[in-house]
Amino acid sequence: MPEELKLHISKRFNRDLATLVSQLLQMGGTVELQLKSALDGLLNGEVGLVQQAKELEEKVDQFDLILGEACAQMLVLRQPAASDLRMTLAINKCVSDLERMGDEAHKIARVALPLMEDGQSLTGFVEVRHIGQHVMQMLHDVLHAFSRQDISLALHVKSRDEQVDIEYRSAMRTLMTFMMEEPQTISRIMNVIWVLRSLERIGDHACNIAEQIVYMVQGRDIRHASKEEVAKLLNQLNLSEP
Amino acid sequence: MPEELKLHISKRFNRDLATLVSQLLQMGGTVELQLKSALDGLLNGEVGLVQQAKELEEKVDQFDLILGEACAQMLVLRQPAASDLRMTLAINKCVSDLERMGDEAHKIARVALPLMEDGQSLTGFVEVRHIGQHVMQMLHDVLHAFSRQDISLALHVKSRDEQVDIEYRSAMRTLMTFMMEEPQTISRIMNVIWVLRSLERIGDHACNIAEQIVYMVQGRDIRHASKEEVAKLLNQLNLSEP
């Protein structure tokens, strides 16, 4: 094959891959907006925002379908190898995680309405705001890490998930104590618990994306790596960076 | 390329694909066993079974790593097209769903121990048994559908998930009423609720696998199809079968 043609194919391939990445980041931005709308709507009692979060679900699903098809097309038409293949496969997995994050944001929006109708009893909202901010930052950072192929940032996101889990368990204990003391609040508190559970899951999905970034860049599968192995990897990266 | 060589490659390809499918079904069988152990252990108070469910987690994670790598190898070395590509991609997605089902089975095993220590108060166990059986049947059927490439069975699994959701919501109402009446049981009932939540999610993952089977066989992406569209597809299949 003449060099020129090779170059042409490679350029076209890179353009297609760049389009995929750009669409994935757009999908990520949509999920970010959906989550932010659901949380802000809930915490500030703004029905319009909650409604927006619900409506964005359809857009996220559209991205899911389009990107699923685009990844398959990429594999069959371009037959990528090595790091390009890993990137295509990683995008394919990240799409699923983003779609599930969108589902969780939609669930938050769904319970937000009955919670808002229950009026101004704000038990659990401090925890929702706190964990919500934490998880939104994780989502933001992991998308940034993806766009920059930054494994160091990706690993930081992964290590932060543990903190979210600790906060989640602590919030759960507080809410359970509250339910025991005031049983008439149980159905309301259960809705707050579902919101926290969704946030905790969104954190898990951010972690999954972080793992895919490491796979994409280094070809290393750290999905079932221990905390120590991840810390060691992060340490090596920090040492090798200027 | 001589026909003989083509045939040879095709045979080798089919053998590799058959190995992938066989490993996926083994992984599925392991998750089935893990879920059964967790549920039987919990419901019959058998600590040994619960322990087994916990230990199987590692085996499921191993399958996850091996199959993830095998799918990537398949794509890079065999560069499958059309239905073979769809099958490879579908296997890749199904592996993730099975791994997450394993996670949920592990979560059930984790809360089983404190639940068993709480003694013989069996509130919610009828619901756990009932929904558990339903979900185990879904998992069993969807693996069977995968091995036979049976989209009709896959669509039946998908349509049954709605029933699980109805049963889950009904169980949730019962348990919330119970907590309100007897607040001292809250922390115990919350553990039962986590078990039900895990079962409901396992049902969702069985659905995801069912959707992948349809994609694999028909190239049709029904992940975000409406209930009516799925019913129509099922109807067409029934009409076209003898």
Side-chain angles (χ1 to χ4, degrees):
Chain A
M1 195 189 291
E3 275 307 309
E4 213 174 275
L5 184 56
K6 266 191 196 166
L7 199 67
H8 177 79
I9 287 179
S10 160
K11 264 189 187 161
R12 179 158 173 199
F13 180 81
N14 283 333
R15 205 177 55 208
D16 286 356
L17 206 48
T19 306
L20 260 187
V21 170
S22 141
Q23 282 180 315
L24 182 83
L25 293 174
Q26 278 179 49
M27 181 182 187
T30 309
V31 174
E32 263 190 292
L33 179 62
Q34 193 190 9
L35 177 59
K36 190 172 159 44
S37 306
L39 282 175
D40 285 353
L42 168 65
L43 294 170
N44 307 327
E46 291 184 41
V47 180
L49 282 178
V50 172
Q51 198 52 40
Q52 188 186 26
K54 284 187 172 184
E55 284 163 11
L56 283 170
E57 175 78 352
E58 205 178 315
K59 200 171 163 192
V60 174
D61 287 351
Q62 281 301 321
F63 272 119
D64 185 27
L65 293 174
I66 291 167
L67 275 157
E69 183 58 28
C71 285
Q73 284 297 313
M74 183 69 134
L75 290 168
V76 76
L77 297 177
R78 307 267 169 270
Q79 305 187 327
S83 70
D84 293 334
L85 172 70
R86 289 204 306 270
M87 184 174 247
T88 312
L89 287 177
I91 290 173
N92 203 33
K93 289 230 170 184
C94 292
V95 168
S96 299
D97 281 300
L98 286 174
E99 193 268 333
R100 284 164 196 192
M101 284 176 167
D103 276 351
E104 298 297 339
H106 188 250
K107 282 185 199 168
I108 293 174
R110 256 189 356 224
V111 298
L113 291 181
L115 265 172
M116 285 153 93
E117 281 165 12
D118 283 349
Q120 292 306 307
S121 157
L122 303 175
T123 317
F125 273 26
V126 174
E127 287 80 359
V128 169
R129 178 170 284 119
H130 186 67
I131 298 180
Q133 276 168 352
H134 211 144
V135 165
M136 283 210 293
Q137 192 63 48
M138 283 173 75
L139 173 54
H140 184 81
D141 286 351
V142 88
L143 292 171
H144 194 56
F146 196 106
S147 71
R148 284 171 42 201
Q149 304 280 291
D150 182 340
I151 30 176
S152 175
L153 183 56
L155 288 170
H156 274 294
V157 170
K158 187 171 160 71
S159 61
R160 252 186 290 157
D161 191 44
E162 205 185 334
Q163 189 54 35
V164 169
D165 287 348
I166 292 169
E167 288 165 3
Y168 167 77
R169 282 196 296 271
S170 156
M172 220 42 96
R173 279 192 299 273
T174 308
L175 292 175
M176 270 169 47
T177 308
F178 193 82
M179 286 199 288
M180 285 177 214
E181 284 164 2
E182 308 203 25
Q184 76 281 9
T185 63
I186 286 178
S187 72
R188 189 180 179 282
I189 300 291
M190 281 306 296
N191 278 334
V192 179
I193 286 179
W194 297 136
V195 171
L196 290 172
R197 184 79 164 185
S198 285
L199 290 174
E200 187 257 349
R201 292 204 67 87
I202 291 173
D204 285 348
H205 288 297
C207 255
N208 293 346
I209 294 178
E211 289 160 3
Q212 289 303 317
I213 295 170
V214 176
Y215 170 71
M216 189 162 70
V217 178
Q218 291 212 327
R220 211 187 280 218
D221 192 336
I222 59 158
R223 286 176 300 158
H224 303 293
S226 68
K227 212 168 70 181
E228 291 71 27
E229 287 166 323
V230 172
K232 202 173 148 192
L233 186 56
L234 195 52
N235 209 20
Q236 284 168 356
L237 284 171
N238 291 341
L239 285 177
S240 67
E241 276 172 10
Chain B
M1 196 189 289
E3 276 306 309
E4 213 174 275
L5 184 56
K6 265 192 196 164
L7 198 67
H8 176 78
I9 287 179
S10 160
K11 263 188 189 164
R12 179 158 173 201
F13 181 80
N14 283 332
R15 205 178 55 208
D16 287 355
L17 206 49
T19 307
L20 261 187
V21 170
S22 141
Q23 281 181 315
L24 182 83
L25 294 174
Q26 276 177 52
M27 181 181 187
T30 308
V31 174
E32 262 190 294
L33 179 62
Q34 194 189 9
L35 178 59
K36 190 172 159 45
S37 306
L39 282 175
D40 285 354
L42 168 65
L43 295 170
N44 307 326
E46 291 184 40
V47 180
L49 283 178
V50 172
Q51 199 52 42
Q52 188 186 27
K54 283 185 172 185
E55 284 163 11
L56 283 171
E57 176 77 353
E58 205 179 313
K59 200 170 162 191
V60 174
D61 287 351
Q62 281 301 320
F63 272 119
D64 185 27
L65 293 174
I66 292 167
L67 275 157
E69 183 58 30
C71 286
Q73 284 297 313
M74 183 68 135
L75 290 168
V76 77
L77 296 177
R78 306 266 168 272
Q79 304 186 328
S83 70
D84 292 334
L85 173 70
R86 289 204 307 269
M87 184 175 247
T88 312
L89 287 177
I91 290 172
N92 203 33
K93 290 230 170 185
C94 292
V95 168
S96 299
D97 281 300
L98 286 174
E99 193 267 334
R100 284 165 196 191
M101 284 176 167
D103 276 352
E104 298 297 339
H106 188 249
K107 282 186 199 166
I108 293 174
R110 257 191 356 226
V111 299
L113 290 180
L115 266 172
M116 284 152 94
E117 280 165 12
D118 284 348
Q120 291 306 305
S121 158
L122 302 176
T123 317
F125 273 26
V126 174
E127 287 81 359
V128 169
R129 178 170 284 117
H130 185 67
I131 298 180
Q133 276 167 351
H134 211 144
V135 166
M136 282 210 292
Q137 191 64 47
M138 282 173 76
L139 173 55
H140 184 81
D141 286 352
V142 88
L143 291 171
H144 194 56
F146 195 107
S147 71
R148 284 172 42 201
Q149 305 279 290
D150 182 341
I151 27 176
S152 175
L153 184 56
L155 288 171
H156 274 295
V157 170
K158 186 170 160 72
S159 62
R160 254 187 287 156
D161 191 45
E162 205 186 335
Q163 188 56 35
V164 169
D165 288 348
I166 291 170
E167 287 165 5
Y168 167 77
R169 282 197 295 271
S170 155
M172 219 45 91
R173 278 193 297 274
T174 308
L175 292 175
M176 271 171 44
T177 308
F178 194 82
M179 287 199 288
M180 286 176 213
E181 284 163 1
E182 308 204 24
Q184 76 281 9
T185 63
I186 285 177
S187 72
R188 186 178 183 286
I189 300 292
M190 281 307 295
N191 278 334
V192 179
I193 286 179
W194 297 138
V195 172
L196 289 173
R197 185 77 164 184
S198 286
L199 289 174
E200 187 257 348
R201 290 204 69 86
I202 292 173
D204 285 347
H205 288 297
C207 255
N208 293 345
I209 295 179
E211 289 160 2
Q212 289 303 317
I213 295 170
V214 176
Y215 170 71
M216 189 163 70
V217 179
Q218 291 211 327
R220 210 187 281 217
D221 192 337
I222 59 157
R223 286 176 300 158
H224 303 293
S226 68
K227 213 167 72 180
E228 289 71 28
E229 287 165 323
V230 172
K232 200 174 150 195
L233 185 56
L234 195 51
N235 207 20
Q236 284 167 356
L237 284 171
N238 290 340
L239 286 177
S240 67
E241 275 171 11

